[in-house]
Amino acid sequence: MDDPAPSPARPLRFPPGFLWGAATSAFQIEGSTTAEGRGESIWDRFCRQPGRVAGGASGEPACDHYRRWPEDVALMARLGLRAYRFSVAWPRIVPRGGGRVNQAGLDFYRRLIAALHAHGIVPVATLYHWDLPQPLQERGGWAARDTALRFAEYAALLFDRLGAEVPLWVTINEPMLITYAGYAGRAKAPGAGRPFQSLAVAHHLLLAHGLAVRAFRQSAVRPAADLPAPGIGIVLNLRPCHPASPRPRDARAAATLDALTNRLFLAPLFRGHYPADALRFFRRRLVPLPAAPDDLSIIATPADFLGLNVYVRVLAAAGNPLTGPRQVPGPGPRTALGWEIYPPCISEAIALAREYTTLPLYLTENGAAFADQPAPDGTINDRERIAYLQAHLAEAHRALRAGADLRGYFVWSLLDNFEWEDGYAPRFGLVHVDFATQARRPKASAHWYADVIARNGLLLE
Ligand code: FCB
């Protein structure tokens, strides 16, 4: 786009057909964790372990979306969403991770997808948003190569059964967080705390992605021509890394964190090799990379788009030689989760992605938790969220003006929901959920976003 820079008098318009959406994930909203043949996931198990999740919370009942989905789709339609990104719970479809298929699980998603189409909302389905079937974890989880092979079977099954109705498929959501928070660290399920598994986990997640892209190409999936840019891609949560000071040692720390956080995933996907500095970091710590000869060409199988989840930047400072670089807090204002608000993270993450690929990009998640309080009259005037979304969308527009092929934007999240280890306190939704009654109430940001969608652009205040 060659628009001149916008002024307050001039709205920021987005390209025709820009896909405005909102995102959720299965475990965070569905509840009904034992209903109709669903198997156990690593998150069910994790939530039962004392001290893992704030307040001892679990995925039950979450937003009870498994039963209330018609109401939720109607809500999306009222907001005018053009697209809805949800995830399919692997344990609902293949309860033990391999073998027997649970028809009731497939039927649930088939009905949801049909309802979305009935309202003209484009379904965007994520195959893996962190709810691994527990039986696969017992055989090593993502540290085991077999999990990538089981994932490819599960993906092929979904392409076969639901492919014609879903134009956009996401393979894996945020392999970086799974690697470091789930396996190297203990914050997220399975909470393994095994840093020596880092490379194996990252590699098997990427391999799973590549195998799923190949399965997609071999499937008979030919989505209807009127749907947008059909295809498949992965979602990375890129975090622009900045040195905390001009000192060279902090610049080196930022480069290392950038390699481990971002380039460890971008380089194999788009250049077919792991970055030398990241490999050196792991070699020094005796972390093995269990790659078979063809794996990197499978991982680099061309996809159709790249999804970016963007929330934060990283400020890096030199640490001690053993622990490596450290992150220091940035100076900006913070969300309720303590995340620094730094809107240029959007344009910087897009610029980073464009170093690696010319594929169409989607911002598949962006949003913030704030302590939203209903007023006595029941309205929720979440001005901070509106300001946050507005500033981040303005950065998305800046990236478009710089030539990025950005096709859509998904607010995280449609509903307040189960925010993983932080439980139900952080509220990310455009729509407020009263978890005692399950009442949904659109916040001011929902009305604001409906307006952005209707005008396909932003009015800057
Ligand atoms: C992302 C996750 C998503 C949600 C947001 C806040 O990392 O993909 O499920 O928890 O953070």
Side-chain angles (χ1 to χ4, degrees), residues 327-342:
Q327 281 191 42
V328 299
R334 291 167 187 286
T335 72
L337 274 172
W339 301 359
E340 187 198 12
I341 301 176
Y342 177 75

Side-chain angles (χ1 to χ4, degrees), residues 176 237-245 250-263 312-317 325-327 342 344-345 348-349 352 355:
M176 187 274 276
N237 53 322
L238 297 184
R239 294 182 174 175
C241 294
H242 300 185
S245 83
D250 287 349
R252 283 196 297 277
T256 303
L257 284 186
D258 183 34
L260 301 177
T261 309
N262 302 316
R263 299 180 197 267
V312 289
R313 65 160 169 181
V314 167
L315 272 189
R326 26 183 209 105
Q327 281 191 42
Y342 177 75
C345 64
E348 292 176 10
L352 174 58
E355 285 181 36

Side-chain angles (χ1 to χ4, degrees), residues 17-24 72-73 75-86 112-113 115-117 119-125 165-170 227-229 362-365 407-414 430 449 453 456:
F18 194 76
L19 211 54
W20 297 102
T24 63
D72 291 337
V73 174
L75 205 54
M76 295 176 216
R78 281 209 296 284
L79 295 184
L81 293 191
R82 294 209 51 234
Y84 173 53
R85 174 175 175 240
F86 61 96
L112 172 68
I113 291 164
L116 292 169
H117 282 301
H119 286 94
I121 300 168
V122 174
V124 180
E165 284 88 46
V166 177
L168 295 173
W169 290 92
V170 170
L227 294 173
Y362 289 91
L363 284 164
T364 36
E365 289 181 27
R407 303 277 177 99
Y409 174 90
F410 294 73
V411 175
W412 184 273
S413 180
L414 176 70
L430 293 169
Y449 192 49
I453 298 171
N456 198 37

Side-chain angles (χ1 to χ4, degrees), residues 28 129-130 173-174 177 309 311 365 412 419-420 428:
Q28 294 178 274
H129 202 127
W130 306 356
N173 182 70
E174 301 190 356
L177 266 198
N309 291 354
Y311 292 95
E365 289 181 27
W412 184 273
E419 179 48 34
W420 309 114
F428 274 90

